[in-house]
Amino acid sequence: MNDICVSALVLLHPHRGDLLMVRKAGTTSFMLPGGKPEAEETAEETIIREIAEELGLGLSADRLRALGTFTAEAANEADHRVIGDVFCYDGLPEELDIEDIAHLAEIAEAGWFPIDPLPEDTEQRQFAPLTRNEVIPALQATGRLAG
């Protein structure tokens, strides 16, 4: 099994217990926004660049908080597992329109999904195992979803 290293970002809706997720073109799985590092890039630098590329949002490094590093089966690549450095963001980026989420690059769709509970997977739409099985339980354990 091959490993894919990524950085991913948790953005929580300001008024509901919803999580921002994206779906890449040609796939059916929603996942946290983020992506693979470029050469010599730190996990933090990767997430800042990827969020700018995918969602057109500028992140402030001082508002990023590491949630942890998690491993799960890759959503879109058979016989691969993903190792994700996951960050939470304090608040939301200023340019994010919560009612109309811009998406760029390879992102086909972006939206808010309830996470307690996360909807069941269907043939048309799945949620990445990293998000469902690792990140959401970690968020629940830290109390980030309370309120």
Side-chain angles (χ1 to χ4, degrees):
M1 184 164 291
N2 295 311
D3 290 341
I4 303 167
C5 294
V6 300
S7 288
L9 185 68
V10 169
L11 289 174
L12 297 172
H13 193 282
H15 310 298
R16 306 188 305 258
D18 290 2
L19 181 62
L20 179 66
M21 289 194 253
V22 299
R23 181 180 60 78
K24 295 185 180 192
T27 71
T28 56
S29 289
F30 279 87
M31 59 190 59
L32 297 175
K36 300 171 188 164
E38 294 181 349
E40 307 302 315
E41 214 173 34
T42 67
E44 191 173 83
E45 290 166 342
T46 299
I47 199 58
I48 290 170
R49 177 186 50 75
E50 284 284 343
I51 296 304
E53 290 175 3
E54 292 184 356
L55 299 173
L57 302 173
L59 298 181
S60 299
D62 62 348
R63 292 171 64 187
L64 287 170
R65 305 283 178 258
L67 179 64
T69 300
F70 305 95
T71 303
E73 178 184 340
N76 297 320
E77 299 180 54
D79 299 321
H80 285 73
R81 68 178 183 168
V82 65
I83 301 170
D85 290 314
V86 180
F87 296 89
C88 294
Y89 199 69
D90 290 339
L92 291 174
E94 196 174 293
E95 2 13 28
L96 178 63
D97 180 344
I98 62 171
E99 301 302 327
D100 184 22
I101 303 159
H103 50 85
L104 311 165
E106 72 272 19
I107 303 303
E109 190 175 355
W112 298 104
F113 292 91
I115 51 179
D116 192 16
L118 187 66
E120 293 297 319
D121 289 343
T122 66
E123 194 174 316
Q124 296 79 27
R125 184 212 60 220
Q126 300 86 44
F127 294 96
L130 184 79
T131 305
R132 181 183 291 282
N133 302 332
E134 303 296 331
V135 174
I136 289 174
L139 287 168
Q140 291 167 328
T142 64
R144 297 263 323 185
L145 303 179

